[in-house]
Amino acid sequence: MDFTTPIDIQAVITAVREHQDLLITLDAMEANEILQHFTLIPGVKDSIVLGRTTLGKNSHKYTGKFTGVTADGKIVPRTLTVRPCVMEMEDEPERYRRWYLTDIAGGLDPNRHPFEVWLNNYGVKEAQAELHDVLLTAKYDADPDKTDLSDSFDGILTIVEKEKTDNNISIALGNMYATGVLTRANIGTKLLEMWRAMPDSFKKKQSKLYLSTNLGEMYDDWLDDQGTLVTGSGAETASQQFLRNTNRKVEIVRLSGMPSGSQFVMLTFKDNICWATDNISDMQQLKPFASGNPYTYTAAGKYVIGFQFVCLDKSMFCVNDQPVTPASGDTEGGDTEGGDTEGGEG
């Protein structure tokens, strides 16, 4: 392998095409640490209308006459819009020679894993790491001068904050529960109260409790403080994967990528949180092209992405009363004690 001569761009394109099996798959992407907990809707090029449909009342006392439905059904439409993002790469491959040789030294065969494919994959990995960091909190801005990835689409938690502002999520509606500030002393109790305040129809199903990694660590510490949990055969254990005393109905999902110190908690179902794209493969590949400079490697990729909830009704969804992004100076979700407020049912 000669790193001193200019790159043959046609050879690069041929190598990438021939080694598609080596290109990154979705489950290897860093962004998938978050996306795996949502429901994928592929093939969306622009937008798609979601919504939960209810039939209404269609049962009544037998009278011998057909009367039809006695109460209209309804659907609350929610539109999921995908927006375009780009990945662009331009670099001098010579800079990566030592890194590449080190990377493959443990067993990869350079004749079977061309440097061009490695570099292409490296660019995709970097792009996916950048997507991971803004996935939850990105906020779309139509200003053409705003070109950051965080301005490209609305993340799922940005949607939550907008719905709270529009009064579609509130304690009065029952889809918000007042936990107050969560601490090591109360987090397990408050989260359990939040789940128990949900309708019975919700509690019968498997649900997910989404929270930040630092709140997850706080919950682990709370569990340690409870001492040893003695259980009988088939009983629930004190596993950190499930909320204690829910009979394993509530899986705790620790979302990386949430703002530092966030005390926000969301309780819902995986199939109630949707993310969409057109072709998943678009998110996995950079396509090299000739830039005119034989010493420069250039590649580009484009994909669309968007998020939306199917339903915000209290029968399917609830958040606590803490903001996604804590205000400056607010208590962070660490080991900090104090500042507890009593939670109320919503």
Side-chain angles (χ1 to χ4, degrees):
M1 186 185 308
D2 187 356
F3 285 94
T4 63
T5 58
I7 286 180
D8 181 347
I9 193 62
Q10 291 304 321
V12 173
I13 295 173
T14 299
V16 171
R17 287 175 178 171
E18 289 181 351
H19 295 272
Q20 289 291 329
D21 59 314
L22 304 180
L23 299 181
I24 294 174
T25 57
L26 182 63
D27 58 1
M29 301 191 312
E30 187 169 346
N32 193 58
E33 291 179 12
I34 300 172
L35 294 176
Q36 65 178 317
H37 298 294
F38 306 153
T39 298
L40 169 63
I41 304 177
V44 179
K45 301 179 184 297
D46 182 12
S47 64
I48 184 172
V49 177
L50 310 174
R52 180 186 175 206
T53 303
T54 57
L55 184 60
K57 295 183 178 179
N58 62 354
S59 300
H60 57 82
K61 178 183 177 182
Y62 176 72
T63 63
K65 295 181 180 180
F66 177 79
T67 59
V69 176
T70 58
D72 291 338
K74 64 179 180 179
I75 181 171
V76 180
R78 300 186 58 81
T79 301
L80 190 163
T81 301
V82 294
R83 300 193 183 277
C85 304
V86 295
M87 302 177 285
E88 298 177 339
M89 183 179 182
E90 181 178 14
D91 217 327
E92 168 51 60
E94 177 72 11
R95 299 178 353 147
Y96 295 91
R97 176 172 62 171
R98 185 181 300 277
W99 191 350
Y100 169 67
L101 293 176
T102 302
D103 191 54
I104 69 170
L108 295 182
D109 181 353
N111 294 322
R112 296 182 56 201
H113 298 71
F115 171 70
E116 295 85 1
V117 174
W118 176 90
L119 185 59
N120 210 69
N121 274 353
Y122 176 71
V124 176
K125 287 181 179 179
E126 286 296 298
Q128 290 303 321
E130 294 166 2
L131 177 61
H132 166 274
D133 292 343
V134 303
L135 203 57
L136 297 171
T137 57
K139 184 176 182 180
Y140 176 69
D141 195 320
D143 185 343
D145 294 330
K146 300 289 185 66
T147 59
D148 288 345
L149 187 62
S150 60
D151 300 317
S152 301
F153 58 91
D154 282 341
I156 197 68
L157 299 187
T158 297
I159 294 173
V160 168
E161 294 295 74
K162 286 182 177 180
E163 295 291 352
K164 287 161 66 174
T165 300
D166 292 341
N167 295 318
N168 294 322
I169 298 175
S170 67
I171 292 176
L173 292 174
N175 53 7
M176 178 186 289
Y177 184 84
T179 63
V181 175
L182 299 170
T183 69
R184 177 170 177 165
N186 71 13
I187 185 169
T189 302
K190 293 297 182 181
L191 295 181
L192 181 60
E193 288 176 355
M194 181 174 172
W195 176 73
R196 286 180 172 173
M198 297 297 286
D200 288 344
S201 59
F202 182 97
K203 290 186 288 185
K204 289 191 299 183
K205 302 174 184 176
Q206 299 293 135
S207 58
K208 291 181 180 284
L209 184 70
Y210 299 87
L211 42 68
S212 64
T213 53
N214 58 281
L215 280 187
E217 292 169 354
M218 183 191 292
Y219 180 78
D220 294 343
D221 293 337
W222 176 86
L223 271 180
D224 288 341
D225 294 341
Q226 308 313 301
T228 304
L229 177 65
V230 180
T231 62
S233 176
E236 179 184 21
T237 67
S239 169
Q240 291 96 333
Q241 185 179 358
F242 297 94
L243 184 62
R244 187 176 180 181
N245 292 331
T246 63
N247 195 28
R248 295 181 178 266
K249 291 292 186 182
V250 184
E251 179 186 357
I252 297 177
V253 177
R254 302 151 195 257
L255 290 177
S256 56
M258 288 186 67
S260 177
S262 177
Q263 290 246 324
F264 175 80
V265 176
M266 179 169 62
L267 181 61
T268 187
F269 306 111
K270 177 179 178 179
D271 59 7
N272 194 40
I273 308 176
C274 296
W275 74 280
T277 188
D278 184 5
N279 298 307
I280 293 180
S281 59
D282 292 341
M283 303 177 68
Q284 303 169 214
Q285 60 184 326
L286 283 163
K287 296 182 179 180
F289 62 92
S291 65
N293 183 340
Y295 290 93
T296 301
Y297 181 88
T298 50
K302 179 182 178 182
Y303 62 91
V304 296
I305 192 169
F307 298 85
Q308 190 53 272
F309 293 94
V310 176
C311 178
L312 296 179
D313 186 78
K314 63 182 180 181
S315 63
M316 296 185 66
F317 172 90
C318 187
V319 298
N320 69 340
D321 59 346
Q322 301 299 300
V324 170
T325 303
S328 178
D330 281 1
T331 301
E332 290 195 358
D335 252 4
T336 307
E337 299 283 341
D340 181 25
T341 35
E342 290 299 320
E345 293 190 7

